[in-house]
Amino acid sequence: MATEVKLPELGEGVTEGELVKWLVKPGDSVKADQPIAEVLTDKATVEVPSPVAGVVKDLKFKAGDVVKVGSTMITLEGGASAAASAPAAKPAAPTASTPAPQAAKPAAGGGKVQDIKLPELGEGVTEGELVKWLVKPGDSVKADQAIAEVLTDKATVEVPTPVAGIVKDLKFKTGEVVKVGSTMITLEGGAGAAPSAPTAQPPAGAQREVPASAHANFAAAHSPSHSAAVSTHSASGAIFPPVADSKVLATPATRRLAREMGVDINSLNGSGLAGRVTREDVLSAKGGAPMAAKAPAATPGLSIPKPAYQGPAGAAEERVPLIGIRKKIAENMQRSKHVIPHFTIMDEAKVDAMVAMRESLKEHAEKNGTKITYLPIVMKALIATIREFPMFNASIDDAAGEIVYKKYFNLGFAADTPNGLVVPVIKNADQKTILEISKEILDLSKRARDGKLKPDEMKGATITVTNIGSIGGTYATPVINHPEVAILGMYKIDEKPVIKDGQLKAIKVMNYTMTADHRLIDGAIAARFLAAFIARIENPAKLLVELV
Amino acid sequence: MAQTFDVVVIGAGPGGYVAAIRAAQLGFKTAVIEREFLGGVCLNVGCIPSKAMITATHLLHKAQHNFKDMGLMIKGDITVDMKQLVTWKQSVCDKMSGGVKQLLKGYGVTHIPGEANFKNSKEITVKSSAGEDTIQAKYFIVATGSRPIEIPGFKFDEKDICSSTGALAFDTIPKRVAVIGGGYIGLEISSYLRKLGTEVTVIEAQSALLAGVVDPDCAQIVERKLKKAGVNIMYGAKAKGQKKAKDGYEVTVEINGKEEVVKCDKILVTVGRRPNGDQANLKAAGIAVDERGFIKVDAQRRTNVQNIFAIGDVAGQPMLAHKASHEGVLVAEVISGQNRVYDAKTVPAVVFTDPEIASAGMTEAEAKAKGFTDLLIGKVPFGANGRAVSMMETDGFIKMIADKKTHVLLGVHIVGPEASNLISEAVLAIEMGARMEDIALSIHPHPTLGEAMMETAEATLGHAIHIIQKPLPK
């Protein structure tokens, strides 16, 4: 009997991954929990285990393919040894993505029981809080009828049922957090339900995948010869987003824009006069379509246009999908530059003392099984300076209109990895010694390069340091890691001639830049901050007397 | 060898030729098959020729009735050279049809004369005087239109018993015409025939003209004017049959259970149009057609067969040329991969009677049915409009309906001079979600008929200037 092994949930917000390589091949027999493939998500490379044992029948993807969470990756033939480790194998439901708990209770109407799941609520939205139920057990619902209101981190959304039926039970209580893909209610197929769901209805999530193809169509519109790009709706099939009815006030151009962007205009609350849905409403809803754009201030950076690029020659160019870590970086950088007015101040520090100090500590560090780089020393100087200027460790909560000062110090550092830039975080760096920080940096850097960082290890930084100097360059203007408000850049140590006491002398210098959020930090403050920071770099002993 | 195209459009009416041009603009190798004439019914035996006749007879009527008052004296009688009028009308049609030909050529669309029939969902045959060809295409757009409905006992010969096609080709002025059906085609033709001096009897089965088609207040104005002009209108009347008499025809009419006879020389049957869903052998391609003969389509005008679309009259109500053209563009863009659907809020309707009737959006009854319980309604007569007075065309009014809560415009109904042109502003306003204030605060040029639009918007808000209006209760 065949068992399908699906790509499991890989972590919050992760909906797909790129298949890096297979660890098994057809004919292999695998044990339960044995890794079968490596998948690169936008956060890290993950090994996907098989939940059950069996013999690999076939592989469903090629290396380089993008695999969605929930897609079948391989099928396993249940071997004799497998049965023990997979007692709950459910052979009866080969196609349903999550076999419905078909407890052998026949439904009232004789119809079958269907699970209605929380559908994809928009890009990046993985869960929502159940605000209220719009149905109760025993109610009969029509296809597309709203069954619940769910509050996501962007807006309140009405969740429709894709099929008709009679509500059997509600799986959550008001106030609970529901993950995308979780079963919200079960429906018994009522007599009235059958016509609207003549064939096995795809799960709600599948229906909502139409916007993606809508995007593809939109892009294809720029290359008219691409005649194959016709969506697969039929006369009876649903068109997404649904056709605007006359209840929605919006100009024809806005309605078209919404359609092209895959935004269901019927679900938006217009911000214009008399409730008109404006072009801006549509643009700002895009980040979390399809849902109401109630708080445009809370979703800055989402009205970013997506211009097409058309190259002159097909053969001289190669197109690869923008996915994984690179896509995440692109989004983050774009959001940051869009939201934050950046400015950078630059200065030079005399680092003879710091170099000497590090030299003197080398041996000590080695005895302790590590080595000391300049980064932890710089971090300590940074923390000490932040205590003087707390706004550098703050965030702006645009939605609430508040500045959030953080009394903890989680220091991110930009790590250059083969997959692209990632930012591991040293949590509570103020409570750790330079040696401890050194060890942690070495560990995190290595795992970052191997793509083995856990999502948690890249979250929650309060300020970031980027060490560009290890590669080259005099000064740079790094991009702030939103929602942080500052990023410190450090550059390579160089020798510089100075005249001191009438004599030409070589001293060691190191350049620093402080890029700050100009909404919160004035130029003069940044200049003072950088001066105070450099004073500590130039005199590391100052750090000692400031140690808490 | 079968010719192959990306897109083949069947029918070159206002839906088909527009779809073909848009498809060609989008880079598709496109052909359009037409069995009769480029431009379809609209350009050849519908909209355009009837408007030519209406324009000419409108001028005649003004010369006869208004010129004297205006001090424009004509020596002797004005006579009509019917042959020349019809020749001129035909020249207008030919010019328009020739224009379509040029456009198709200019965009590289292959025009194939002949009758198309599906072999399967990928192939059609085209039969013409030159023989039969097979044509293959990735996509088909069915734009085969509609045809006049024939009623029992009145078989069209297009000479004495006519549809609109025959009526538009009369080369002498008929003395007496019986018009069966008081819909917009019947009334448009009745209007201009009466102006030529024909005795017209309208036989209408319902109790009002244009019933269910336009706002009843608007229909009333036209009715009054037709009666004043001497058109005989029979309500609740059913044409049962006809027979040839010594002088012309006798039409038997059942009215209130009794039979009456209408004597006439020509019979015009305008009881509606039927979609051509029974043509082009749609079954061979597996295209589903509903019980009324319309091809079933979705909001993208796709049929149940993935690569086949249908637009215009054959794809559903309203059977209007401008709706067909809109769909033609839409479908070509859908084929090119654009995410388009038909989501127009309103399709304007125009009746070229005297005076003209035009409407967009909902009637009062429709608005109420849609749940707009509180309405703002404003009505301004053309008698209060300087331009209308100076044109000596003061019959009629503009009526606007808005939602009381939001002041958003829901519907506009115009009966009066140039209603057909004035309605475009209403269409734009409805599509844009305009409020009454938007129209009232937009400065309209003076002196024009368009000012009446602004004034009507003001009237809904209770402060029109050129009529005496009690302020609305707060």
Side-chain angles (χ1 to χ4, degrees), chain B residues 59-135:
Chain B
L59 289 172
L60 173 68
H61 184 80
K62 292 211 93 164
Q64 286 167 337
H65 294 87
N66 296 154
F67 279 15
K68 210 169 157 191
D69 287 343
M70 290 171 169
L72 307 175
M73 307 315 264
I74 294 171
K75 287 193 181 131
D77 288 339
I78 302 172
T79 58
V80 177
D81 179 344
M82 194 63 180
K83 280 215 168 66
Q84 175 55 29
L85 175 53
V86 172
T87 303
W88 169 74
K89 176 219 76 178
Q90 195 54 47
S91 76
V92 173
C93 295
D94 294 347
K95 195 173 278 178
M96 298 311 295
S97 192
V100 171
K101 193 172 187 175
Q102 285 303 312
L103 285 170
L104 291 173
K105 199 176 155 197
Y107 280 110
V109 176
T110 307
H111 166 214
I112 303 170
E115 188 170 315
N117 280 298
F118 278 98
K119 273 174 83 173
N120 54 52
S121 64
K122 300 275 161 60
E123 275 182 323
I124 55 167
T125 58
V126 178
K127 209 190 303 173
S128 68
S129 50
E132 192 168 294
D133 273 332
T134 298
I135 290 174

Side-chain angles (χ1 to χ4, degrees), chain A residues 23-253:
Chain A
L23 304 174
V24 294
K25 56 184 190 300
D28 284 0
S29 66
V30 296
K31 290 197 280 263
D33 291 329
Q34 180 183 328
I36 55 163
E38 274 185 24
V39 170
L40 172 74
T41 71
D42 56 11
K43 303 230 168 75
T45 304
V46 192
E47 288 186 346
V48 178
S50 167
V52 295
V55 176
V56 178
K57 206 172 146 214
D58 57 351
L59 312 178
K60 301 286 190 190
F61 293 92
K62 287 198 296 288
D65 283 355
V66 173
V67 186
K68 291 221 181 291
V69 168
S71 308
T72 300
M73 296 194 70
I74 61 171
T75 50
L76 289 182
E77 294 272 359
S81 61
S85 63
K90 312 137 201 154
T95 52
S97 66
T98 312
Q102 268 167 314
K105 297 173 214 155
K112 64 176 188 138
V113 177
Q114 273 189 294
D115 288 357
I116 305 304
K117 301 189 167 87
L118 183 63
E120 292 276 340
L121 300 172
E123 203 175 291
V125 178
T126 57
E127 59 183 30
E129 183 189 324
L130 179 63
V131 178
K132 75 168 177 231
W133 285 112
L134 304 174
V135 294
K136 54 184 192 303
D139 282 1
S140 70
V141 293
K142 290 195 282 257
D144 290 330
Q145 184 179 331
I147 55 164
E149 279 183 17
V150 170
L151 174 72
T152 71
D153 57 357
K154 302 218 171 85
T156 304
V157 194
E158 286 194 344
V159 177
T161 164
V163 296
I166 292 165
V167 178
K168 207 173 146 214
D169 57 354
L170 311 178
K171 299 288 191 188
F172 292 91
K173 284 202 287 286
T174 305
E176 283 186 319
V177 172
V178 186
K179 291 226 180 289
V180 168
S182 309
T183 299
M184 295 194 72
I185 62 171
T186 51
L187 284 186
E188 287 187 342
S196 65
T199 52
Q201 194 75 15
Q207 276 214 332
R208 290 291 169 167
E209 279 176 26
V210 183
S213 73
H215 266 305
N217 288 348
F218 181 40
H222 297 280
S223 52
S225 60
H226 188 18
S227 56
V230 172
S231 51
T232 52
H233 313 303
S234 65
S236 55
I239 287 174
F240 188 90
V243 180
D245 65 19
S246 55
K247 276 180 211 142
V248 179
L249 275 188
T251 67

Side-chain angles (χ1 to χ4, degrees), chain A residues 214 217-218 221 224 227 229-235 239 243 245-246 248-252 255-256 259 273-274 276, chain B residues 26 28 138-139 298-300 302-304 306 335 337-343 345 408 431-435 438:
Chain A
N217 288 348
F218 181 40
S227 56
V230 172
S231 51
T232 52
H233 313 303
S234 65
I239 287 174
V243 180
D245 65 19
S246 55
V248 179
L249 275 188
T251 67
R255 302 200 304 262
R256 181 197 284 208
R259 180 160 303 285
L273 271 179
R276 272 186 199 76
Chain B
L26 290 165
F28 293 111
K138 287 198 197 94
Y139 300 100
D298 68 9
Q300 291 186 318
R302 192 190 298 270
T303 68
N304 60 313
Q306 280 297 303
I335 289 174
Q338 296 185 41
N339 185 11
R340 294 281 319 273
V341 302
Y342 182 88
D343 78 339
K345 282 185 190 292
V408 169
E431 291 291 352
M432 304 290 283
R435 302 169 77 196
D438 295 326

Side-chain angles (χ1 to χ4, degrees), chain B residues 44-61 80-93 164-174 188-196 198 352 354:
Chain B
N44 296 279
V45 291
C47 320
I48 299 300
S50 64
K51 262 79 266 179
M53 300 299 285
I54 286 167
T55 303
T57 54
H58 182 68
L59 289 172
L60 173 68
H61 184 80
V80 177
D81 179 344
M82 194 63 180
K83 280 215 168 66
Q84 175 55 29
L85 175 53
V86 172
T87 303
W88 169 74
K89 176 219 76 178
Q90 195 54 47
S91 76
V92 173
C93 295
S164 52
T165 304
L168 285 162
F170 291 150
D171 56 2
T172 54
I173 300 172
E188 285 181 14
I189 295 174
S190 297
S191 275
Y192 79 73
L193 285 178
R194 182 66 201 129
K195 284 173 184 167
L196 290 169
T198 304
F352 288 86
D354 180 13

Side-chain angles (χ1 to χ4, degrees), chain A residues 135-479:
Chain A
V135 294
K136 54 184 192 303
D139 282 1
S140 70
V141 293
K142 290 195 282 257
D144 290 330
Q145 184 179 331
I147 55 164
E149 279 183 17
V150 170
L151 174 72
T152 71
D153 57 357
K154 302 218 171 85
T156 304
V157 194
E158 286 194 344
V159 177
T161 164
V163 296
I166 292 165
V167 178
K168 207 173 146 214
D169 57 354
L170 311 178
K171 299 288 191 188
F172 292 91
K173 284 202 287 286
T174 305
E176 283 186 319
V177 172
V178 186
K179 291 226 180 289
V180 168
S182 309
T183 299
M184 295 194 72
I185 62 171
T186 51
L187 284 186
E188 287 187 342
S196 65
T199 52
Q201 194 75 15
Q207 276 214 332
R208 290 291 169 167
E209 279 176 26
V210 183
S213 73
H215 266 305
N217 288 348
F218 181 40
H222 297 280
S223 52
S225 60
H226 188 18
S227 56
V230 172
S231 51
T232 52
H233 313 303
S234 65
S236 55
I239 287 174
F240 188 90
V243 180
D245 65 19
S246 55
K247 276 180 211 142
V248 179
L249 275 188
T251 67
T254 304
R255 302 200 304 262
R256 181 197 284 208
L257 177 75
R259 180 160 303 285
E260 286 169 349
M261 296 180 72
V263 173
D264 178 5
I265 200 165
N266 296 312
S267 71
L268 300 187
N269 283 341
S271 67
L273 271 179
R276 272 186 199 76
V277 175
T278 65
R279 190 181 163 78
E280 287 67 35
D281 292 337
V282 173
L283 289 171
S284 60
K286 181 51 206 156
M291 61 179 69
K294 273 184 188 148
T299 53
L302 297 169
S303 58
I304 293 163
K306 296 201 167 170
Y309 168 76
Q310 275 186 302
E317 296 171 346
E318 188 195 345
R319 283 181 175 247
V320 293
L322 179 58
I323 53 166
I325 292 176
R326 183 47 54 194
K327 182 181 175 192
K328 201 71 189 171
I329 293 171
E331 286 169 358
N332 287 348
M333 292 300 114
Q334 196 167 22
R335 183 189 304 116
S336 184
K337 283 297 257 188
H338 189 80
V339 173
I340 302 177
H342 282 64
F343 78 100
T344 305
I345 184 154
M346 312 172 174
D347 209 343
E348 178 186 272
K350 304 181 192 71
V351 292
D352 291 290
M354 185 169 70
V355 172
M357 178 179 98
R358 177 173 168 262
E359 288 296 322
S360 71
L361 292 170
K362 258 187 177 169
E363 219 180 287
H364 178 69
E366 269 158 30
K367 268 189 209 150
N368 282 279
T370 187
K371 55 183 183 179
I372 292 179
T373 61
Y374 292 107
L375 186 53
I377 304 169
V378 166
M379 284 180 170
K380 282 292 181 189
L382 182 63
I383 291 167
T385 315
I386 289 171
R387 289 193 202 277
E388 252 183 276
F389 301 89
M391 66 282 267
F392 286 80
N393 204 41
S395 280
I396 294 182
D397 183 347
D398 284 284
E402 288 171 348
I403 303 167
V404 185
Y405 289 98
K406 281 164 260 188
K407 310 220 153 134
Y408 51 94
F409 297 87
N410 293 346
L411 266 56
F413 65 98
D416 169 41
T417 78
N419 292 321
L421 175 87
V422 297
V423 183
V425 181
I426 312 280
K427 301 260 166 72
N428 301 314
D430 60 324
Q431 292 163 29
K432 292 173 181 167
T433 65
I434 287 179
L435 273 184
E436 284 170 330
I437 294 176
S438 291
K439 275 187 193 162
E440 220 177 324
I441 288 173
L442 288 173
D443 168 52
L444 289 171
S445 304
K446 180 173 186 311
R447 288 194 291 120
R449 279 194 299 276
D450 296 343
K452 298 277 164 74
L453 283 181
K454 296 191 202 89
D456 258 356
E457 293 174 320
M458 292 181 277
K459 264 192 192 157
T462 55
I463 188 167
T464 297
V465 180
T466 176
N467 185 0
I468 297 161
S470 56
I471 302 167
T474 318
Y475 287 110
T477 57
V479 177

